[in-house]
Amino acid sequence: GENVEQHPSTLSVQEGDSAVIKCTYSDSASNYFPWYKQELGKRPQLIIDIRSNVGEKKDQRIAVTLNKTAKHFSLHITETQPEDSAVYFCAASLNYGGATNKLIFGTGTLLAVQP
Amino acid sequence: GAVVSQHPSWVICKSGTSVKIECRSLDFQATTMFWYRQFPKQSLMLMATSNEGSKATYEQGVEKDKFLINHASLTLSTLTVTSAHPEDSSFYICSARTSGGVEQYFGPGTRLTVT
């Protein structure tokens, strides 16, 4: 089955700096890669996702890159702000529109943006 | 749109009793719902996948007789933790997906404490 590794487990940056979180996956058939932000005690919020037919996607200060050959994908946050502080999870899913497209989550990265 | 609710948001129960958690899709039909468990400072671990009208598919290591899942309608799935023990104390989160959809919409989670 799919296995997703995520690094680093904690990341501290100064406000305004960039943050990069990296994930690797094991199943080459996985084709959907979402990133979630989770604040303490809250639900995960989708912040950006990418499908395997795209190498990069950007939404304002957030971007995701995907390297299918190496089976890794990364989240890039630029101009970080204190409100970006949270736990970020990557995930991978094999999506074929079938009954089960389960998400396998990475271990999470605690991002702390220091003002 | 794409709102998922959970009830209750938190519950305290005594060891040996059963607890039912509801997951509802409020503004869309969810052919597939997922149940996750999240221990403090850990990632989301998929417990089971439920499809409307059929039996749930449990992940390896999850006791199907202990965690009963029912997905009787396109807007409601329930998770019953039977004979709860303190080690079952956790944050339980559901998510829902439409037929053929890719994105999962997460509920706000239920904090279960077993005393």
Side-chain angles (χ1 to χ4, degrees):
Chain A
E2 178 63 279
N3 182 53
V4 179
E5 295 187 356
Q6 183 172 346
H7 299 281
S9 57
T10 60
L11 180 58
S12 181
V13 300
Q14 290 295 122
E15 182 177 359
D17 287 351
S18 295
V20 180
I21 302 170
K22 298 181 179 181
C23 288
T24 60
Y25 60 99
S26 60
D27 191 339
S28 57
S30 290
N31 56 9
Y32 174 63
F33 308 93
W35 285 90
Y36 296 90
K37 175 184 180 182
Q38 187 181 31
E39 297 177 346
L40 189 62
K42 301 294 178 79
R43 77 184 85 196
Q45 292 180 294
L46 178 69
I47 56 172
I48 197 167
D49 57 13
I50 192 167
R51 304 194 191 195
S52 59
N53 58 347
V54 177
E56 183 174 359
K57 185 177 178 181
K58 189 174 182 180
D59 182 5
Q60 300 183 346
R61 297 187 296 110
I62 296 173
V64 56
T65 58
L66 171 65
N67 183 326
K68 285 168 51 180
T69 303
K71 291 189 285 187
H72 66 70
F73 55 114
S74 300
L75 176 70
H76 305 253
I77 305 175
T78 59
E79 301 172 28
T80 54
Q81 301 165 4
E83 49 265 39
D84 293 331
S85 298
V87 178
Y88 290 81
F89 292 99
C90 63
S93 171
L94 173 59
N95 172 44
Y96 51 86
T100 56
N101 297 134
K102 56 187 182 183
L103 287 174
I104 303 302
F105 282 81
T107 48
T109 297
L110 175 60
L111 174 64
V113 181
Q114 309 298 331
Chain B
V3 178
V4 176
S5 70
Q6 272 184 251
H7 178 80
S9 56
W10 60 270
V11 57
I12 302 173
C13 71
K14 296 194 174 195
S15 187
T17 61
S18 296
V19 174
K20 179 184 284 188
I21 302 170
E22 292 186 349
C23 177
R24 293 181 185 273
S25 56
L26 300 185
D27 53 2
F28 67 100
Q29 293 187 329
T31 52
T32 305
M33 288 185 170
F34 303 86
W35 287 95
Y36 298 85
R37 181 167 52 182
Q38 187 177 32
F39 292 110
K41 297 186 179 181
Q42 293 189 23
S43 186
L44 284 80
M45 298 301 295
L46 180 65
M47 299 176 66
T49 303
S50 75
N51 294 294
E52 185 265 338
S54 61
K55 290 185 178 180
T57 301
Y58 290 80
E59 294 299 302
Q60 192 171 10
V62 177
E63 302 173 57
K64 58 181 67 177
D65 293 332
K66 181 172 180 62
F67 299 98
L68 303 179
I69 292 173
N70 183 279
H71 191 165
S73 78
L74 286 172
T75 59
L76 173 65
S77 177
T78 61
L79 167 67
T80 301
V81 183
T82 62
S83 187
H85 292 288
E87 56 266 31
D88 297 324
S89 298
S90 189
F91 193 48
Y92 291 86
I93 308 175
C94 71
S95 71
R97 197 193 69 215
T98 59
S99 175
V102 175
E103 185 175 348
Q104 291 187 22
Y105 304 97
F106 285 86
T110 297
R111 174 79 54 194
L112 170 63
T113 301
V114 184
T115 61

